[in-house]
Amino acid sequence: MRTIIEPFKIKSIEPIHFNTREQRLKILSDAFYNPFLIRSDDVLIDLLTDSGTSAMSSNQWAGIMRGDESYAGSPSFFRFKDAVQDITGMPDVIPTHQGRAAEKILFSIMGGSGKYFVSNTLFDTTRANIEFTGAEGIDLLCDEGKHPSIPAPFKGNMDVPALKRFIEEKGAANIPLCIITITNNSGGGQPVSMKNIKEVRQVCTDHHIPLFIDACRFAENSYFIKIREEGYASKLVKEIAQEIFSYADGCTMSAKKDAFANIGGFLAMHSGALAQECRNLLVITEGFPTYGGLAGRDLEAIAIGLTEVVDENYLQYRIRSIEYLTNKLVDAGVPVMQPAGGHAVYLDAKNFLPHVPVDQYPGQALAGALYIEGGVRGVEIGSLMFGKYDDKHNLVPAALELVRLAIPRRVYTQSHIDYVAEIIIDVFNDRHSINGLKIIEESPILRHFTAKLAPM
Ligand code: F0G
């Protein structure tokens, strides 16, 4: 096979910081076994998130200088709006400071108790914003998506029969919105097929339920459609993205992912009336409609990022680099989500640490072990993030116990990735020495960010 190379050269570098195993043991203990509480200077390879961590291009940096900071009517806004419309085809574009601000506005309008928001899998902030209004978030993921080790091309698909049953049971009037997350971040970064999006669209149309796309990794999802779904091989990724959005009534977007921006997001939609309601909230929480929560320079960076991300050489390299790490781990017998997702490698902590019960948070324990072994920071996506308590304060665990190693875009080279593979394999070979954790302090919402834990 011909080598797929990074489709860029490096103009500016940033040192990374080395420390010793002994130092890391203390750092993790001081951080209460929660990687979110570690200072990033103490991390060697930071795979906590692919959000806001991209390397911007020289063009984006040039755009930063061009940014016009006028309060109203900035040309940067119009360039941003044109870029979003070019891909989504949606007339109303509302900038927000990041994805969750778009969610907060949308669900403040559409949410409320007694309502159900249905999805393939809601991301944690999306679910939290829904639940904050008193509504419920319902994940209806296809069966393939629930089995980490069984490969299938579109494990992010929604379970369409389950969607129909759910609508039948609760009544369409109680379901203000259906949201498809592309790619399905909390379910392994797995893509959703065009066929599935079309089928969900049809069910939504039949029941007058609007369909929104949680679009932050739309380009990665579009590339998977190109290489995996029949009939799309000769289409441009941009055309595939345009087709996806053509089936939706609107979208929320975190520009911190596939727009290569360090901050930013937006809402886009077809309904002018809904957009007006959103702008009414926007002005009291984010800002005037032509800047939302962003500086003009950020709008420029997003506009340029949206044109760069649909470049197929970039996407080929991007998807291949995730697959490269996944394959190395599979070859070493490490249990990982298969096939490789779009932005991250997901370790299956339940099978990695079968001796650690779910109420001792195997994902969190594994994330800690990776940090101690090699200064690699990942994030638990399991029962610490999504677990709930029943009436007797027993843990109701999440469906999957994963550790996500998200790869920042255009940041690390192949040798960094080889190093990460080495560390994971070393930890795997010594997995029986890893103990579970217990929570000693937690907050009621999004507890994984700030929870304090201790070894059992
Ligand atoms: N939707 C999805 C699917 C996401 O992955 C994220 C963020 C958001 C919405 C919220 O966007 O961060 O700009 O407010 N995901 C990041 C992550 C934080 O690490 O996966 P945001």
Side-chain angles (χ1 to χ4, degrees):
M1 191 211 259
R2 289 176 58 219
T3 305
I4 296 166
I5 61 172
E6 285 87 354
F8 50 80
K9 53 187 179 168
I10 297 167
K11 193 196 288 271
S12 176
I13 61 98
E14 192 181 335
I16 53 176
H17 305 275
F18 293 83
N19 48 20
T20 65
R21 191 172 211 281
E22 277 58 48
Q23 287 169 326
R24 291 193 293 271
L25 277 167
K26 176 160 183 347
I27 291 164
L28 188 66
S29 153
D30 290 348
F32 296 96
Y33 299 84
N34 186 343
F36 281 105
L37 304 181
I38 299 174
R39 299 167 76 128
S40 61
D41 274 357
D42 292 330
V43 175
L44 187 62
I45 306 283
D46 203 349
L47 309 183
L48 187 70
T49 179
D50 62 322
S51 180
T53 52
S54 300
M56 289 209 293
S57 65
S58 49
N59 239 333
Q60 283 180 295
W61 284 110
I64 293 268
M65 283 308 295
R66 188 160 78 140
D68 177 295
E69 303 303 339
S70 302
Y71 190 93
S74 161
S76 301
F77 171 72
F78 293 102
R79 280 191 281 272
F80 162 82
K81 185 176 168 212
D82 287 348
V84 174
Q85 284 178 338
D86 186 32
I87 289 180
T88 65
M90 295 175 191
D92 279 284
V93 179
I94 299 171
T96 58
H97 78 272
Q98 58 185 83
R100 70 197 70 180
E103 294 162 4
K104 169 82 181 157
I105 289 172
L106 186 67
F107 301 134
S108 298
I109 295 165
M110 294 193 141
S113 59
K115 294 184 177 167
Y116 302 93
F117 287 82
V118 289
S119 180
N120 46 349
T121 311
L122 295 161
F123 181 65
D124 58 358
T125 61
T126 323
R127 171 173 288 281
N129 272 304
I130 288 169
E131 291 175 355
F132 193 70
T133 72
E136 257 184 75
I138 307 293
D139 294 340
L140 301 171
L141 184 63
C142 68
D143 202 46
E144 306 92 275
K146 295 172 191 157
H147 303 286
S149 60
I150 305 172
F154 292 104
K155 292 172 77 169
N157 282 354
M158 243 181 127
D159 182 337
V160 177
L163 174 64
K164 289 182 183 161
R165 283 197 301 275
F166 189 82
I167 297 171
E168 190 89 342
E169 190 188 321
K170 303 290 182 189
N174 298 316
I175 305 173
L177 196 64
C178 174
I179 304 146
I180 303 183
T181 311
I182 61 170
T183 56
N184 189 26
N185 184 9
S186 305
Q190 299 293 321
V192 180
S193 71
M194 194 72 85
K195 179 167 176 282
N196 189 252
I197 294 171
K198 279 200 247 183
E199 285 170 1
V200 172
R201 166 78 268 174
Q202 189 56 52
V203 175
C204 288
T205 303
D206 293 346
H207 295 89
H208 307 289
I209 298 170
L211 172 64
F212 268 54
I213 306 281
D214 179 342
C216 52
R217 299 180 182 87
F218 76 94
E220 289 165 4
N221 199 99
S222 300
Y223 186 74
F224 277 121
I225 289 176
K226 181 180 172 94
I227 59 175
R228 291 189 187 164
E229 190 162 349
E230 215 189 306
Y232 287 93
S234 62
K235 292 230 161 99
L236 295 175
V237 167
K238 186 173 161 188
E239 292 168 345
I240 297 172
Q242 288 165 331
E243 183 180 340
I244 292 176
F245 286 110
S246 77
Y247 300 123
D249 297 292
C251 66
T252 56
M253 168 93 184
S254 166
K256 300 172 73 172
K257 285 83 171 173
D258 268 354
F260 302 116
N262 300 130
I263 195 74
F266 57 83
L267 272 162
M269 61 195 74
H270 285 284
S271 163
L274 178 61
Q276 193 47 48
E277 278 189 81
C278 292
R279 288 196 188 96
N280 293 343
L281 283 184
L282 187 83
V283 289
I284 55 173
T285 57
E286 295 284 297
F288 187 75
T290 61
Y291 73 87
L294 293 171
R297 54 179 171 268
D298 300 322
L299 296 169
E300 295 279 356
I302 295 167
I304 296 163
L306 286 173
T307 62
E308 290 178 356
V309 76
V310 289
D311 176 73
E312 309 206 357
N313 287 325
Y314 161 72
L315 284 165
Q316 182 190 37
Y317 140 80
R318 169 74 176 159
I319 299 304
R320 173 65 192 143
S321 55
I322 313 291
E323 186 185 55
Y324 174 80
L325 177 54
T326 303
N327 291 352
K328 275 198 159 205
L329 299 176
V330 170
D331 291 348
V334 178
V336 295
M337 173 73 97
Q338 291 188 64
H343 65 293
V345 174
Y346 292 72
L347 305 177
D348 176 1
K350 238 186 243 178
N351 285 312
F352 199 115
L353 301 176
H355 58 284
V356 179
V358 288
D359 62 358
Q360 293 181 19
Y361 305 102
Q364 192 75 359
L366 177 54
L370 296 175
Y371 177 72
I372 292 167
E373 185 65 25
V376 175
R377 175 158 74 167
V379 65
E380 190 253 22
I381 299 197
S383 292
L384 182 65
M385 186 180 277
F386 287 119
K388 297 256 148 86
Y389 294 114
D390 68 13
D391 305 344
K392 300 192 181 79
H393 206 72
N394 293 317
L395 178 76
V396 183
L400 299 172
E401 303 294 335
L402 304 172
V403 173
R404 184 187 75 173
L405 302 165
I407 314 294
R409 294 171 182 77
R410 310 190 291 206
V411 170
Y412 292 117
T413 63
Q414 186 168 346
S415 59
H416 291 120
I417 299 298
D418 286 333
Y419 169 83
V420 170
E422 270 166 35
I423 296 299
I424 297 169
I425 292 165
D426 285 351
V427 170
F428 184 63
N429 292 336
D430 193 29
R431 60 193 176 279
H432 300 292
S433 70
I434 299 169
N435 292 324
L437 298 165
K438 61 174 184 252
I439 296 176
I440 54 174
E441 206 182 297
E442 63 185 300
S443 69
I445 299 174
L446 297 172
R447 66 176 178 171
H448 56 287
F449 286 138
T450 53
K452 294 181 176 171
L453 298 100
M456 287 305 288

